[in-house]
């Protein structure tokens, strides 16, 4: 199976230390192409390391056979870490995933509780949750606060 890679709108961006262009991947008899395979083809074509290549925004043409997206080749990894968005770096596994801190609901409850107090008390406000042993949420007891109570067996 053949893969043809063509570039359009090539720009050498010396300020950000990268080469950026639109990438057309022509892949007949295939629905689409993995980004890892595209990275290896681009690395050979431009004689760069695969770790410096960023691919994103790929759209497959209706019916398959052609995909179009953006490609950026950075001069080094440090420049890539400096200028690329964090979500894209996490997607490429250059940065680690966010640690699982407080979930969204508890952050919102904490915010509303802090809005009800003034001054130094804002830093003292805390949110407590009661986790059920079996993990079953009882909506009639939670009052919409996201609290989880133990279900009583009658």
């Amino acid at each position: 199976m053949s893969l043809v890679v063509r570039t359009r709108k090539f720009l050498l961006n010396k300020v950000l230390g990268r080469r950026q262009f639109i990438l057309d991947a022509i892949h007949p008899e295939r629905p689409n192409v993995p980004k890892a395979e595209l990275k290896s083809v681009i690395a050979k074509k431009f004689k760069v390391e695969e770790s410096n290549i960023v691919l994103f925004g790929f759209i497959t043409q209706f019916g398959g056979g052609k995909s179009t997206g953006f490609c950026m080749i950075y001069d080094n990894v440090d420049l890539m870490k400096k200028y690329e968005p964090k979500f894209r770096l996490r997607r490429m596994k250059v940065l680690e995933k966010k640690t699982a801190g407080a979930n969204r609901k508890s952050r919102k409850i904490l915010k509303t509780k802090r809005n009800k107090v003034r001054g130094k008390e804002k830093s003292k406000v805390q949110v407590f949750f009661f986790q059920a042993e079996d993990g079953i949420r009882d909506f009639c007891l939670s009052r919409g606060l996201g609290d989880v109570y133990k279900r009583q067996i009658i």
Side-chain angles (χ1 to χ4, degrees), residues 3 7 11 42 49-50 52 69 84-86 90 98 111 114 148 154:
L3 172 67
T7 61
L11 177 69
I42 293 166
E49 295 178 17
E50 287 186 30
N52 297 345
E84 275 298 302
K86 300 281 188 258
R90 285 190 190 98
K98 287 183 179 179
K111 179 185 155 195
R114 281 189 179 148
V148 181
I154 299 173

Side-chain angles (χ1 to χ4, degrees), residues 80-145:
M80 183 172 67
K81 286 181 181 177
K82 185 176 180 182
Y83 294 118
E84 275 298 302
K86 300 281 188 258
F87 77 92
R88 222 177 275 155
L89 293 173
R90 285 190 190 98
R91 188 184 289 168
M92 294 167 35
K93 297 182 177 127
V94 175
L95 289 181
E96 296 175 7
K97 284 188 173 181
K98 287 183 179 179
T99 57
N103 60 4
R104 188 167 188 254
K105 185 72 175 179
S106 62
R107 283 195 313 255
K108 285 177 174 275
I109 292 169
L110 184 65
K111 179 185 155 195
T112 55
K113 283 188 176 185
R114 281 189 179 148
N115 286 339
K116 293 176 184 175
V117 296
R118 293 186 54 163
K120 292 180 181 178
E121 285 79 29
K122 284 186 186 274
S123 62
K124 297 175 186 173
V125 173
Q126 293 180 349
V127 178
F128 294 103
F129 289 100
F130 302 99
Q131 182 67 39
E133 291 173 0
D134 55 357
I136 298 171
R137 183 181 297 255
D138 200 346
F139 289 109
C140 63
L141 296 175
S142 70
R143 300 182 306 279
L145 298 175

